[in-house]
Amino acid sequence: MRPAVSSPRTHLTLASIAVAFAAADTYVVVLALPDMMSGVGLSADELQRAAPIISGFLLGYIAVLPLIGRIADVVGRTPVLVGALLLFAVGSLVTAGAYDLSLVVTGRFLQGVGGGGLVPATLALVADLWPAERRGLPLGVVGAVQELGSVLGPLLGAAVLAVADWRYIFWLNLTVAVVLALLLRGRRWPPLSGVVGVLACVALGLTLTAPQRLASGVTLGLPFVPFTGTSRLLTPIGVVTLVLALAWLGLVLWRSRGQLVGVLAQVDLVGALLLALALAGVVLAFATADPEKHLMSPAGPWLLVAAAVFAVAFGLWQRRTKAAIVPRGLLGARPAWGSLVVSFLIGCALIAALVDVPVFARTTQGGGQLAAALVLVRFLIALPVGAVVGGWLTRRYGLGLITGAGLGLSGAMFTVMAYWSGSALDHWPATVVLLACGFGFGLALSPVNTAMLGATPAGSHGLVSALVVVARMVGMLVGVSALTAIGLRRYYAIADHIKSPNELCPDSPGTCRPFVDALRDAAVSQVHAIFAGAAVCAFLAAALAVLLLGRRVVVHTS
């Protein structure tokens, strides 16, 4: 399904920029979260209530991804890319104008759906434009720009917060997403539905922000007066927004009514819903917990039970329906299902760096969130470099060999990190270790995607690209829980033998330095255990990659 534009490479460049910007948004909230909490009326000690700001994004990013990937296979890459960007833009608009927690979570969910949808469509676009034996490098470039976004995210957030309110982060997202959508759509933008859609977004922005100059006016302020209560949505201008939104939706459905029938016939909505619910249970079980303190949320066990029930229902439905969202035999080839296994384990190991390198930095060096994020940049900056190199190497060496070498390097670096002293980050070898670890993970990105796309038919490339991303993200969620369990077990084993401040410092228990140092050493040992567990995951992924991904690029012939 080649894109209907005059320059496919330009099309891919725009899609890659969109992927990078969406990836940056994943990490930008790390620094903006305290300000966002304050902006919606939450105090600093209500972090648990703010967890849905993070989990809402992840829920949208992961749960709906298989459906979006399948839609990209049916309607084409360009419509999905444009639609995902517009959804990301609407989510940014809602988040920027949000005045309570529910609206922020809704906006972040929409951002997650839109941002996640960009990835499989872009990866499938690469498969459309390059033959199997030559797509390794462009896949590496796409992986590189995605990881580059993760590097720029915290820096972009810090730059915006240094000069403006946190809401401007999302106003910037809105602007960039709309510009990219217009460039991707080109001259084929539907005039009437486009105008109505813009008017609906403008009305929504006015409804949520209620500008002081308008809302406080005697006449101009009337549309902003609530019918009841204080909700800005239950106002005359809120009703106008709803009418415009419904009108836009009606025009879009009417314009695409012929194509819509075909989509409904080819997309397994029931299967997609069951799979989304199963994934949602996993996301909510792990993403709403504090990874430094808890394995999962209090409702986690029940959510996992629900996820298992929906997963079983999904499996039974796939056996029954003729239009299964994951057709029988699609993942039957060893490189196909092997890519999912390796991607899952990559996620399990990768999360240790993303979460616990900053934890180690805060524990041993003090400082705030920004200082810890800057330490993590040493790791993240090597990821895109490794991704490009890994893509380039796929034309010369086996996919399993490249992936295994990269993950083996990361595993070795995690092993070194498991023996770091409390002052390790003060010396240059730690920077080398972080760079090498990130480079190793980067090497694995392109070969895994190349193996999956080569072992599956072209008509399913959007779906399988989504499944690879989902496997990695689920691996990250499960990994953070499992590795935290290992770390906490080490911490409590040490902490139980630490004497109380009264025993260590009977004269000044309130300022007992030995007690504080002992607790810090226990926390460092906790992170050491997590790094050791990540090393095991990385080495296991490396071994399986060599065994499952093969020595050359597989070309699907059906």
Side-chain angles (χ1 to χ4, degrees):
M1 298 181 183
R2 295 189 178 266
V5 294
S6 57
S7 177
R9 266 59 174 185
T10 300
H11 190 93
L12 180 60
T13 299
L14 293 172
S16 299
I17 293 173
V19 168
F21 208 79
D25 193 72
T26 306
Y27 293 90
V28 76
V29 177
V30 172
L31 296 179
L33 187 59
D35 290 340
M36 293 176 69
M37 291 172 58
S38 176
V40 297
L42 296 180
S43 60
D45 59 353
E46 293 182 291
L47 186 60
Q48 194 61 35
R49 287 188 60 195
I53 297 176
I54 306 295
S55 59
F57 183 90
L58 291 175
L59 181 62
Y61 196 100
I62 297 175
V64 193
L65 207 54
L67 175 60
I68 296 177
R70 178 57 183 151
I71 292 175
D73 290 328
V74 175
V75 305
R77 318 306 183 199
T78 302
V80 169
L81 287 170
V82 173
L85 278 168
L86 292 179
L87 198 57
F88 184 82
V90 172
S92 299
L93 173 61
V94 173
T95 306
Y99 55 87
D100 63 18
L101 181 60
S102 61
L103 282 172
V104 170
V105 173
T106 300
R108 292 293 291 165
F109 174 79
L110 294 176
Q111 281 188 298
V113 175
L118 293 168
V119 180
T122 303
L123 294 176
L125 185 62
V126 171
D128 294 344
L129 297 174
W130 278 270
E133 64 276 7
R134 294 178 52 203
R135 64 175 62 128
L137 181 57
L139 284 174
V141 171
V142 172
V145 297
Q146 183 179 7
E147 299 305 330
L148 184 62
S150 66
V151 178
L152 296 177
L155 302 179
L156 175 63
V160 173
L161 292 174
V163 297
D165 183 74
W166 65 269
R167 298 179 188 275
Y168 283 89
I169 294 174
F170 301 100
W171 291 124
L172 178 62
N173 286 345
L174 169 64
T175 303
V176 173
V178 170
V179 170
L180 289 173
L182 289 172
L183 291 174
L184 282 168
R185 185 70 186 186
R187 297 179 180 179
R188 298 183 296 117
W189 193 266
L192 182 58
S193 60
V195 170
V196 174
V198 170
L199 290 175
C201 289
V202 171
L204 177 60
L206 291 173
T207 300
L208 295 177
T209 59
Q212 183 69 18
R213 290 186 178 182
L214 296 178
S216 61
V218 176
T219 303
L220 295 177
L222 291 177
F224 298 92
V225 178
F227 296 118
T228 180
T230 59
S231 174
R232 295 179 185 176
L233 299 176
L234 299 178
T235 57
I237 193 172
V239 173
V240 171
T241 299
L242 178 61
V243 171
L244 287 172
L246 292 176
W248 172 80
L249 181 61
L251 287 170
V252 171
L253 293 177
W254 176 258
R255 183 182 179 87
S256 58
R257 60 191 182 279
Q259 190 179 39
L260 184 61
V261 173
V263 171
L264 293 176
Q266 297 181 64
V267 176
D268 176 20
L269 293 179
V270 174
L273 176 62
L274 291 172
L275 181 56
L277 290 172
L279 292 173
V282 176
V283 171
L284 294 176
F286 296 117
T288 55
D290 182 350
E292 297 180 25
K293 299 178 181 179
H294 306 292
L295 307 185
M296 62 181 69
S297 67
W302 294 106
L303 288 168
L304 291 181
V305 170
V309 171
F310 285 120
V312 171
F314 170 74
L316 294 175
W317 174 260
Q318 294 298 283
R319 295 173 61 89
R320 175 183 176 183
T321 182
K322 295 180 180 180
I325 189 171
V326 183
R328 186 176 301 179
L330 175 65
L331 304 175
R334 186 172 64 180
W337 62 263
S339 297
L340 297 182
V341 174
V342 173
S343 186
F344 175 85
L345 289 172
I346 288 175
C348 290
L350 180 61
I351 194 64
L354 298 179
V355 172
D356 291 288
V357 166
V359 170
F360 184 85
R362 291 197 301 269
T363 301
T364 59
Q365 295 187 317
Q369 195 77 9
L370 177 58
L374 291 176
V375 172
L376 182 61
V377 166
R378 305 179 198 175
F379 169 87
L380 291 174
I381 201 170
L383 265 170
V385 178
V388 174
V389 173
W392 177 73
L393 290 174
T394 56
R395 297 184 62 180
R396 293 163 174 78
Y397 303 98
L399 301 180
L401 178 62
I402 299 169
T403 307
L407 294 175
L409 175 61
S410 295
M413 295 303 101
F414 273 129
T415 303
V416 174
M417 291 158 66
Y419 292 95
W420 268 352
S421 67
S423 60
L425 293 177
D426 297 328
H427 307 289
W428 65 265
T431 298
V432 175
V433 169
L434 290 171
L435 289 173
C437 191
F439 183 81
F441 278 113
L443 283 178
L445 295 180
S446 176
V448 171
N449 287 321
T450 301
M452 172 60 88
L453 292 170
T456 51
S460 297
H461 280 166
L463 172 64
V464 297
S465 296
L467 293 178
V468 171
V469 176
V470 167
R472 177 178 163 185
M473 297 297 291
V474 171
M476 293 173 72
L477 291 171
V478 175
V480 74
S481 176
L483 295 177
T484 298
I486 294 172
L488 286 175
R489 185 174 181 179
R490 169 76 67 86
Y491 176 83
Y492 290 127
I494 297 175
D496 287 344
H497 293 86
I498 298 176
K499 295 181 180 180
S500 69
N502 291 326
E503 295 177 286
L504 292 172
C505 308
D507 296 330
S508 56
T511 57
C512 185
R513 188 66 190 179
F515 179 73
V516 173
D517 291 341
L519 286 181
R520 190 196 68 170
D521 292 342
V524 169
S525 295
Q526 174 185 349
V527 179
H528 284 166
I530 291 174
F531 287 152
V536 172
C537 291
F539 285 134
L540 179 59
L544 291 177
V546 173
L547 293 174
L548 301 177
L549 299 190
R551 299 182 178 179
R552 61 184 179 85
V553 178
V554 177
V555 181
H556 196 277
T557 57
S558 64

